[in-house]
């Protein structure tokens, strides 16, 4: 079997699994919309503040939700014995990872499109550059979240642990990425710390896409880091899939 | 009779303790070999070593003329794990279709296999809603799709009622008559009588390899449960 067939078979299998779980799909699509609406309401008296955080939030929600969904789904695959069985069959580890990647990127595309529609269409968010650029960044962030989720699932033994990775890995990045306080206003050690976090670059790219000023070379670096960390996490994730185990 | 599996000096250590200790074993092709022993004797570990998913400390495991775990074996070997390893949130048909695509067989073969394990009426049902026995048969079905030369089953009849167990053993013999080699582990001695050859395992050692009749003769008892107990106690 060619690698591509096994990848696509895996992607369509993962999508079928998600389709059987309409509640998860509803949560994936509806929750970010409600949250963006809440942010809009909380900042009702300060439209410029909503303008500043709204667009980055559109692109960061997919990252967080894909991280969670992927780490739990992959953990189930590891603990249920299906992964061990799968790896005795003619399928490459890369097929498993890419299959998951394609499936979740498709879900992320839907999620990002719907949330963007709410943000741009109903809540009057405006964006300096193309709205499609924001959607594309949201999808890239979703794939980043998925890759990090796949990798981190190797370090959880139970679903309880996997869920705790969210406050452990994701929350500090949200605090430090520049969304709440501009990085330049933080203590120097926090700036250094945030420079090591992928969220910082994901946020910065979205914030630049939202502004009317030119994207600048820093935007290229942001995209490079997001794509680079995705590939790195996928490669490390592939390393955690073992055909032979103790 | 040609050899399907050949094991030399196999040592496996799990969690710091030796689980298999210097196993030497030959398993003949085209028949049903029973791997028997009490719980914790190393049956599952031996099976995992044969299908190539177990890290081994020492020794050689040769399967169908290749080292265990060789990529070539992924198309020639069927493995049914002890706990059914299928997707509980997919239907029976969706499960089989996925595995069929991985091993490059078509829709016809999926339908044949469903028929063979008696799950055609349940094909549209989500696996999570099936009974334990039905779920076990879905797992078995996924391993049959590519017509493996060697089928390795880890306690496939646990939790099944007597009728289902009898049917399953009839099915194993049909497969063997058609040329498939089967290795079936069990801790129920009454299933031993239905094997062509028995491998008795205890505390990581091969206690005996014999046909059921040889075992009865050596131990002077008809009942295979007694025969096993006598062997364990050093009689025969």
């Amino acid at each position: 079997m060619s690698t591509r067939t096994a990848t696509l078979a895996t992607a369509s299998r993962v999508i079928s699994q998600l389709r059987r779980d309409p509640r998860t799909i509803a949560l994936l699509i509806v929750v970010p919309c409600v949250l963006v609406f809440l942010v809009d309401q909380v900042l009702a008296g300060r439209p410029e503040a909503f303008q500043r955080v709204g667009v980055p939030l559109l692109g960061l929600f997919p990252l967080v939700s894909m991280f969670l969904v992927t780490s739990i789904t992959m953990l189930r695959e590891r603990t249920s014995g299906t992964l061990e069985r799968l790896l005795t069959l003619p399928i490459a580890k890369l097929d498993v990872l890419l299959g998951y990647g394609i499936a979740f990127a498709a879900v992320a595309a839907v999620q990002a499109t719907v949330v963007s529609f709410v943000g741009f269409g109903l809540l009057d968010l405006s964006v300096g550059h193309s709205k499609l650029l924001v959607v594309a960044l949201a999808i890239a962030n979703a794939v980043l979240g998925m890759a990090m989720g796949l990798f981190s699932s190797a370090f959880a033994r139970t679903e309880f642990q996997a869920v705790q990775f969210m406050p452990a890995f994701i929350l500090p990045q949200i605090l430090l990425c520049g969304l709440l306080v501009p990085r330049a206003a933080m203590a120097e050690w926090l700036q250094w710390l945030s420079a090591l976090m992928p969220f910082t670059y994901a946020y910065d790219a979205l914030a630049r896409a939202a502004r009317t000023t030119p994207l600048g070379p820093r935007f290229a670096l942001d995209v490079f880091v997001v794509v680079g960390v995705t590939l790195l996490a996928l490669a490390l994730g592939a390393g955690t899939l073992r055909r032979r185990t103790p | 009779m040609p050899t399907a599996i050949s094991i030399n000096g196999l040592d496996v250590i799990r969690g710091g303790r030796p689980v298999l200790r210097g196993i030497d074993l030959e398993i003949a092709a085209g028949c049903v070999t029973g791997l028997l022993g009490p719980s914790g004797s190393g049956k599952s570990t031996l099976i995992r070593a044969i299908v190539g998913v177990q890290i081994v400390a020492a020794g050689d495991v040769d399967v169908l003329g290749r080292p265990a775990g060789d990529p070539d074996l992924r198309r020639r070997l069927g493995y049914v794990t002890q706990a059914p390893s299928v997707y509980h949130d997919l239907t029976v048909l969706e499960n089989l279709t996925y595995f069929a695509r991985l091993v490059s067989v078509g829709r016809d073969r999926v339908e044949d296999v469903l028929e063979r394990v008696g799950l055609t009426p349940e094909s549209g049902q989500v696996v999570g809603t099936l009974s334990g026995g039905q779920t076990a048969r879905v797992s078995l079905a996924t391993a049959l799709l590519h017509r493996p030369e060697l089928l390795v089953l880890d306690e496939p009849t646990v939790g099944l009622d007597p009728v289902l167990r009898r049917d399953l053993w009839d099915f194993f013999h049909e497969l063997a008559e058609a040329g498939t080699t089967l290795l079936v582990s069990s801790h129920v001695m009454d299933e031993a009588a239905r094997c062509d050859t028995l491998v008795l395992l205890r505390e990581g050692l091969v206690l005996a390899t014999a046909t059921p009749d040889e075992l009865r003769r050596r131990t002077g008892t008809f009942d295979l449960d007694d025969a096993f107990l006598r062997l364990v106690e050093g009689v025969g």
Side-chain angles (χ1 to χ4, degrees), chain A residues 19-37:
Chain A
R19 280 217 333 263
R20 296 252 165 249
D21 190 357
R23 202 174 298 181
T24 295
I25 297 196
L27 288 170
L28 281 174
I29 307 287
V30 175
V31 169
C33 297
V34 173
L35 289 177
V36 170
F37 173 72

Side-chain angles (χ1 to χ4, degrees), chain A residues 1 6 8-10 12-13 16-17 20 77 80-82 84-91 243-246, chain B residues 14 48 52-55 68 74-75 79 85-87 89-91 94 98-99 101-104 139 142-143:
Chain A
M1 145 154 328
L8 293 179
T10 305
S12 75
R13 187 260 295 170
S16 302
Q17 285 181 289
R20 296 252 165 249
E77 183 109 48
S80 69
T82 48
E84 173 170 310
R85 166 75 160 286
L86 217 48
L87 292 177
T88 66
L89 294 171
I91 179 169
R243 287 193 194 265
R244 280 184 189 270
T245 49
Chain B
R14 294 184 83 177
R48 283 169 45 84
V53 299
Q54 176 67 51
I55 294 175
R74 288 175 202 150
R75 301 183 169 281
Y79 172 35
S85 47
V86 288
Y87 299 98
D89 44 3
L90 294 181
T91 66
E94 285 169 339
Y98 175 53
F99 286 104
R101 286 178 76 183
L102 295 186
V103 297
S104 321
S139 195
T142 60

Side-chain angles (χ1 to χ4, degrees), chain A residues 244, chain B residues 3-8 10 25-27 29 46-53 60-78 148-152 181 183:
Chain A
R244 280 184 189 270
Chain B
T3 307
I5 302 171
S6 160
I7 299 175
N8 284 303
L10 175 66
L25 194 60
E26 303 260 303
I27 289 169
L46 182 55
I47 280 182
R48 283 169 45 84
I50 290 167
V51 299
V53 299
D60 293 313
V61 182
D62 255 56
V63 180
L64 304 172
R66 299 270 179 168
D70 189 279
D72 177 56
L73 292 172
R74 288 175 202 150
R75 301 183 169 281
R76 302 170 63 195
L77 182 146
E149 294 164 55
L150 169 66
L151 189 57
V152 182
T181 304
L183 177 66

Side-chain angles (χ1 to χ4, degrees), chain A residues 180-203:
Chain A
L180 302 179
V181 178
R183 286 181 63 224
M186 293 179 194
E188 198 177 347
W189 72 275
L190 288 178
Q191 290 187 35
W192 279 104
L193 203 57
S194 72
L196 300 174
M197 297 176 163
F199 252 67
T200 303
Y201 302 89
Y203 164 78

